[in-house]
Amino acid sequence: MLQISKRFRVVVQLLLCIYCTFSHAKQKITIASGNFAPYFSEQGISGEGYFDLVLLKVLSEHGYKKLDLIPLNNDAIKRYFVSKTADIAINYTALPPVNSYPSKYRVKFLNRVILPAQHWTKKVESLHDLNNLTIGSFIGASDLFGNEYRKLTQLESVKYIEIGNQQALNKQLHKNKIDVRVGDYLVFYWHTAHLTALDPNDYIYLDLLDYQGSFILFHDKDLRDKFDQGLKLLIRSGELKAITTNWLQQYKLPILIEQPLFSLEKPHQKEK
């Protein structure tokens, strides 16, 4: 009887494993993601977005094959996740909603203060030096870069705009309609180098922002834990570094980047 009982337990465990694998393979995961190259898929642009590439790789290696990636701007990412239209949100720039499960990793763009390399811009050493200028950034930026930046955007002496389309925002600086473009270095570099006749080296990129990264959020804790474990393995094995290098080469971007594009953070809310 004892031997039969042990065999029965083994069979049950095997069946459970098969069921879990089958369930993951059948389960559809909807992902609210960014919509600007080179970090995300963008309409009319060939090439794989970096964060999309990593997220899909980690989930597919856990058996999730039906993955629906929806490119969205920052406002739409929030709406899709809060309404539970999406199971996962990547590049969530607001504070995580209650009962969501943030990854312990954040996406960490190379956000910089970008200005044309002119005589007056070489004197800019702090955010305070941007007073009396016209500043443009992406939607949600005023809540992402700390109190000093938020106060700057609210000054009457500063004209501040936020634009949902990254390419349109870059064009504002290219055409001198704004004095300062606040946002990611690689997005601006790639767009300037490959979609215009301008030289990205004719601009300066200042690291003046209090930036902690944006969230990767999940509605399901188990799915979040699987993603965190999978990304941890990619980092430890060196595979993520290889993926990053290949991606930079694909888009003909500067290879030497000291700042990792994922940062390890502690969750900001208590989990139940």
Side-chain angles (χ1 to χ4, degrees):
M1 284 293 292
L2 184 60
Q3 188 174 6
I4 293 174
S5 177
K6 286 182 178 179
R7 286 179 180 176
F8 178 75
R9 286 200 299 270
V10 170
V11 170
V12 169
Q13 289 173 350
L14 286 172
L15 288 172
L16 284 173
C17 288
I18 292 170
Y19 172 77
C20 289
T21 302
F22 181 75
S23 296
H24 287 170
K26 299 287 284 185
Q27 184 179 356
K28 179 182 175 182
I29 303 295
T30 300
I31 304 163
S33 185
N35 64 349
F36 54 91
Y39 288 108
F40 303 100
S41 300
E42 182 175 341
Q43 187 175 6
I45 303 296
S46 61
E48 296 177 290
Y50 177 77
F51 292 116
D52 293 340
L53 179 67
V54 174
L55 185 67
L56 295 178
K57 178 176 177 59
V58 171
L59 293 176
S60 63
E61 289 184 353
H62 276 288
Y64 296 95
K65 303 302 181 183
K66 292 188 176 182
L67 300 169
D68 184 16
L69 195 72
I70 305 176
L72 301 164
N73 64 34
N74 291 353
D75 276 349
I77 289 172
K78 182 178 178 180
R79 289 198 307 271
Y80 269 61
F81 188 76
V82 171
S83 67
K84 297 192 176 179
T85 303
D87 304 289
I88 302 172
I90 186 166
N91 194 30
Y92 194 97
T93 56
L95 288 175
V98 176
N99 298 325
S100 66
Y101 297 97
S103 168
K104 65 182 179 182
Y105 296 96
R106 291 192 189 183
V107 297
K108 197 76 178 286
F109 298 102
L110 301 175
N111 281 311
R112 300 290 186 266
V113 172
I114 305 171
L115 311 99
Q118 298 176 3
H119 178 71
W120 69 270
T121 60
K122 293 177 182 178
K123 299 178 181 179
V124 174
E125 297 179 349
S126 70
L127 292 179
H128 178 73
D129 296 327
L130 303 180
N131 195 6
N132 298 310
L133 298 178
T134 300
I135 303 171
S137 193
F138 53 85
I139 291 175
S142 58
D143 294 321
L144 194 61
F145 296 137
N147 288 331
E148 186 180 358
Y149 182 80
R150 187 183 299 108
K151 289 177 181 178
L152 174 70
T153 65
Q154 295 170 348
L155 292 176
E156 291 185 6
S157 55
V158 170
K159 183 179 179 181
Y160 181 73
I161 59 171
E162 292 187 351
I163 298 175
N165 184 287
Q166 295 278 351
Q167 288 195 34
L169 179 59
N170 291 335
K171 287 179 182 177
Q172 293 286 307
L173 187 58
H174 292 152
K175 295 181 178 181
N176 298 314
K177 292 185 177 180
I178 58 176
D179 302 306
V180 183
R181 194 270 203 234
V182 175
D184 183 77
Y185 159 61
L186 289 183
V187 170
F188 184 83
Y189 185 101
W190 174 79
H191 182 204
T192 305
H194 302 293
L195 300 181
T196 76
L198 301 173
D199 186 347
N201 296 309
D202 288 338
Y203 296 84
I204 59 175
Y205 308 88
L206 304 178
D207 189 3
L208 304 177
L209 302 168
D210 178 11
Y211 173 59
Q212 304 302 317
S214 51
F215 294 96
I216 308 171
L217 300 183
F218 298 78
H219 284 301
D220 181 82
K221 183 177 182 296
D222 181 60
L223 183 59
R224 189 278 310 272
D225 291 345
K226 285 182 170 63
F227 171 79
D228 282 357
Q229 182 61 26
L231 184 54
K232 179 181 178 181
L233 292 175
L234 279 186
I235 294 170
R236 283 190 172 181
S237 68
E239 190 174 356
L240 183 64
K241 186 176 181 180
I243 290 171
T244 306
T245 300
N246 290 337
W247 168 74
L248 290 168
Q249 290 173 341
Q250 177 187 0
Y251 279 97
K252 298 180 181 178
L253 291 167
I255 298 299
L256 297 177
I257 295 178
E258 295 179 2
Q259 177 183 311
L261 298 176
F262 285 97
S263 64
L264 188 60
E265 300 286 348
K266 293 181 180 180
H268 281 251
Q269 63 188 65
K270 227 176 177 181
E271 294 176 2
K272 295 180 180 180

